[in-house]
Amino acid sequence: MEIYTFDKSLQERLIELTEILSSRGEIVPASQIQAEWSYHVELVIEPVGWQALWKIPRLVCEDFQVHYPTIVVVEVEQVDFTDLSALVKITAVQDEIHLPEKYDVQLVELYPTHNQENDALDVVGTASCIDQLRFFYSYLWMPWDIDDDDNTDWVSVHLETRIRLFFDMKRGVVSKETSDIIRSLVREGREVQQKISKLEDTISEGEESHEDVDGGTACQLMKLHFRLQQIKREVEVLENPAMREILVKNRNSSLNNDQIQRRHSKGKSTEGYFVWLGGTLEEMKETISKVQASLSADLHFKISGSLQETLHTSDAGDVIVIGEGTHLIKGAGNLEEGGTIKGVHNVERTILSVKDTETVPSLLDFSGSEVLLESITIDVGDLRAGVIVRAGTTKIVNCKICAMNQSIVKLGVAVLPNAKLIIENTVFDGLGTASVIYSNGEILMNNCSFKNCAEGIQLHDNTTLIARNCFLGEFKEYAIRLETQKYLHSSESICGGPELLQNIPEISLNDCKFGANGKGHVILKPRTAFSVMTKQDGTTNMES
């Protein structure tokens, strides 16, 4: 089903949103913003009877125990203009999933479709209004704004600055590093605000029941408010173009000096790091012997006690060897652009996991020319995905990719357009979907196995999958799911065995075995028209 899409310029966005939020010429404080949207939505959006695609949010998918992303067809039965939400009736689903007949959803989750039963409805106006609302709350509204002073005009202070920041990040005017910092801060701010709301609800419930407020809860709430104010100050500095330029120049100058000093100290050779979390001298000697046996003797080496610090100080192309233990990290640092992370002990006892409860979408995110991960366990934890391959070639050898706390929405590896993944002797465990390959992405898979996963490999048109000696069995649902417009001639899904893939030249299965899959070995299903994963916004979205 085709949906309405809008590609608007900076000036168009600025004019539209200014008219919506300040057309009456009055001061509009942050506390009044939602009310202004309510007035506008009530005038423009059709109150009932229009069809849309509902992109179910990740947490709702988890509650329903369905894959993320899941997109269903709905009919709007009632719009709550005050709450900017709608009561929808679910009219069509693609998979055999169980959802409530009706559900309250946020308007920003709805995408009106071209084909409507009632031609008299202004669906274009409705779709445009929802697009404006979604753009505003996704990219311009910050989690701390609601606490702004009521004497301050939110529109004149923030609207144009934040729209320009969005377009500067989208066009690459703001550096990738600075953009990543801004996105990370905004994500953390939203997470902190959610925690604050939950704690305040807990305290309110305690006061209503005349229970004493726990001192630890109050202290935690105070720390969260303090952290939110810190994030607010940092983002406000980065929103200012002049300040941003000064900080970037300062940072680049400092980084360049550090890099020059490091390179001068070691010459032009690749640098190696050994991350050791501690142990006896005998254990350390034994580990160093293993490191020495597996790497070049002339590699310039340093010892570190923290993988996170090592990732921050290393350069693209460097080699990091990690000892036994759980290594807590917040991304791959400079190794995003290429390099090696290698374990030398038992894979099960050499674990990479997320540090604290960061709200990044994945544990590792690579966009370099060549990356190698070897002999480590990648624990998805509470994140959406384990590894994202955005560009270049990532090689994963003798690893385990798992979610210790199993969930149907967890993803092992995502390969984006024009990126390549080579994966060998690797186990996928406890994931919703082991791997997703987007259009023009490529996976070469050898001797891999799966256990406790809902689904194996999800493919899109024009992807390349070459699998050898893999056991594609024991999935709760399907071993391979192909979402396609090329190889289906109807709107109905087709389920069957691997013979369904024989006439698809991009897919090659050699000596692979299928068995004991809950819903079937292979499914071909119609593809929904949504974009792939993007880093343009404050959160990284993964859409089918």
Side-chain angles (χ1 to χ4, degrees):
M1 298 182 75
E2 196 174 356
I3 61 171
Y4 289 94
T5 58
F6 302 88
D7 184 14
K8 297 177 180 176
S9 67
L10 184 157
Q11 209 59 36
E12 287 173 319
R13 291 289 187 189
L14 180 58
I15 291 170
E16 285 180 349
L17 293 174
T18 302
E19 288 178 353
I20 291 168
L21 296 174
S22 58
S23 59
R24 293 180 293 168
E26 300 175 359
I27 288 179
V28 181
S31 59
Q32 183 65 21
I33 289 292
Q34 183 168 328
E36 295 297 324
W37 272 112
S38 297
Y39 301 148
H40 179 71
V41 165
E42 189 167 6
L43 290 172
V44 178
I45 287 183
E46 294 286 356
V48 66
W50 44 278
Q51 283 77 44
L53 297 183
W54 175 33
K55 181 175 180 289
I56 305 178
R58 184 171 69 90
L59 293 179
V60 178
C61 283
E62 194 161 17
D63 289 341
F64 290 157
Q65 284 299 293
V66 298
H67 286 286
Y68 176 81
T70 289
I71 299 163
V72 298
V73 183
V74 299
E75 180 178 334
V76 173
E77 295 198 335
Q78 181 182 346
V79 175
D80 184 335
F81 299 109
T82 303
D83 197 39
L84 303 176
S85 65
L87 175 66
V88 300
K89 179 181 179 181
I90 298 171
T91 58
V93 298
Q94 284 189 315
D95 296 322
E96 294 180 10
I97 56 177
H98 300 287
L99 299 173
E101 183 183 356
K102 297 182 181 181
Y103 201 78
D104 284 309
V105 308
Q106 294 299 305
L107 286 172
V108 295
E109 298 164 10
L110 297 176
Y111 297 79
T113 58
H114 281 221
N115 295 328
Q116 298 285 328
E117 293 179 5
N118 187 348
D119 295 335
L121 297 176
D122 179 14
V123 183
V124 176
T126 296
S128 177
C129 182
I130 292 176
D131 173 76
Q132 293 163 345
L133 185 69
R134 185 162 42 240
F135 179 84
F136 179 83
Y137 279 105
S138 296
Y139 309 131
L140 308 184
W141 182 256
M142 298 297 172
W144 48 83
D145 284 345
I146 196 63
D147 296 325
D148 276 359
D149 191 338
D150 270 0
N151 295 320
T152 302
D153 184 15
W154 188 96
V155 177
S156 61
V157 173
H158 295 297
L159 184 62
E160 182 172 355
T161 302
R162 289 186 184 169
I163 291 176
R164 291 191 180 280
L165 177 63
F166 168 82
F167 278 93
D168 283 350
M169 291 169 67
K170 181 179 178 180
R171 294 166 180 163
V173 175
V174 179
S175 70
K176 177 183 179 297
E177 183 188 10
T178 305
S179 296
D180 286 347
I181 291 170
I182 293 170
R183 292 184 185 108
S184 177
L185 287 169
V186 173
R187 280 194 298 264
E188 187 184 353
R190 286 177 177 154
E191 178 75 10
V192 169
Q193 182 60 60
Q194 288 173 2
K195 291 178 180 177
I196 288 173
S197 297
K198 288 179 181 177
L199 285 176
E200 287 178 341
D201 288 344
T202 301
I203 291 172
S204 297
E205 289 170 5
E207 289 175 345
E208 288 175 7
S209 59
H210 304 289
E211 296 178 3
D212 291 335
V213 176
D214 178 64
T217 302
C219 183
Q220 187 181 359
L221 185 61
M222 183 179 67
K223 288 179 178 178
L224 288 170
H225 275 291
F226 181 65
R227 177 56 186 151
L228 192 61
Q229 288 304 307
Q230 283 183 312
I231 294 169
K232 175 184 177 181
R233 287 193 292 271
E234 290 179 50
V235 173
E236 284 177 346
V237 169
L238 292 170
E239 280 179 3
N240 185 312
M243 290 299 298
R244 191 164 63 238
E245 189 175 347
I246 292 169
L247 288 172
V248 169
K249 284 181 179 177
N250 233 11
R251 187 180 293 111
N252 287 344
S253 173
S254 173
L255 286 173
N256 288 337
N257 288 336
D258 289 345
Q259 288 169 355
I260 290 168
Q261 288 178 8
R262 287 204 304 271
R263 291 299 177 192
H264 181 72
S265 68
K266 67 179 183 180
K268 294 183 179 180
S269 63
T270 299
E271 190 163 87
Y273 296 85
F274 172 43
V275 180
W276 175 247
L277 297 182
T280 66
L281 285 174
E282 196 59 40
E283 288 170 336
M284 189 174 187
K285 282 169 60 180
E286 182 183 336
T287 304
I288 289 175
S289 296
K290 290 181 180 179
V291 175
Q292 193 174 10
S294 62
L295 294 172
S296 171
D298 61 352
L299 192 64
H300 183 88
F301 243 86
K302 294 180 180 178
I303 295 180
S304 168
S306 165
L307 178 57
Q308 177 58 43
E309 290 177 9
T310 303
L311 289 167
H312 178 71
T313 58
S314 62
D315 292 328
D318 283 346
V319 176
I320 300 177
V321 179
I322 59 177
E324 194 174 281
T326 299
H327 301 264
L328 302 177
I329 62 173
K330 295 191 288 185
N334 290 324
L335 264 66
E336 282 188 7
E337 302 300 326
T340 298
I341 303 177
K342 176 184 174 71
V344 289
H345 285 98
N346 182 289
V347 172
E348 300 274 355
R349 299 199 300 270
T350 309
I351 303 167
L352 267 58
S353 187
V354 67
K355 185 174 184 179
D356 302 322
T357 53
E358 291 297 312
T359 51
V360 291
S362 66
L363 185 65
L364 297 167
D365 193 322
F366 297 118
S367 52
S369 57
E370 198 168 320
V371 174
L372 171 63
L373 304 176
E374 185 175 353
S375 300
I376 56 176
T377 291
I378 297 166
D379 178 17
V380 176
D382 292 324
L383 301 178
R384 164 72 178 103
V387 180
I388 297 173
V389 184
R390 294 186 183 275
T393 299
T394 293
K395 189 172 184 180
I396 301 177
V397 179
N398 190 34
C399 290
K400 179 179 179 180
I401 301 172
C402 65
M404 300 295 191
N405 49 346
Q406 296 181 18
S407 167
I408 196 168
V409 302
K410 300 293 174 62
L411 171 61
V413 184
V415 181
L416 271 59
N418 304 311
K420 181 177 180 179
L421 172 68
I422 301 171
I423 186 161
E424 300 175 353
N425 304 314
T426 292
V427 177
F428 294 87
D429 187 4
L431 300 159
T433 302
S435 182
V436 172
I437 320 171
Y438 289 96
S439 296
N440 301 311
E442 181 178 358
I443 285 187
L444 308 181
M445 183 176 286
N446 183 40
N447 196 30
C448 293
S449 60
F450 307 81
K451 58 182 181 179
N452 304 315
C453 294
E455 191 170 73
I457 305 167
Q458 181 182 330
L459 308 168
H460 294 74
D461 282 333
N462 304 313
T463 60
T464 298
L465 168 65
I466 300 174
R468 298 185 181 91
N469 301 311
C470 295
F471 177 63
L472 297 161
E474 300 181 8
F475 295 105
K476 296 180 180 69
E477 297 183 10
Y478 303 98
I480 296 178
R481 176 208 295 242
L482 173 60
E483 298 193 357
T484 177
Q485 292 174 324
K486 287 173 64 176
Y487 301 107
L488 269 183
H489 304 294
S490 72
S491 59
E492 297 296 321
S493 298
I494 301 174
C495 180
E499 67 275 2
L500 288 176
L501 307 173
Q502 285 178 354
N503 296 321
I504 300 176
E506 301 96 334
I507 300 175
S508 174
L509 305 175
N510 302 311
D511 299 322
C512 292
K513 295 180 180 179
F514 291 77
N517 292 311
K519 293 185 177 180
H521 299 328
V522 176
I523 184 170
L524 274 58
K525 59 174 290 187
R527 184 165 183 254
T528 310
F530 271 77
S531 60
V532 299
M533 190 178 298
T534 174
K535 261 192 172 181
Q536 291 179 0
D537 60 348
T539 59
T540 301
N541 297 317
M542 197 171 298
E543 302 170 336
S544 66

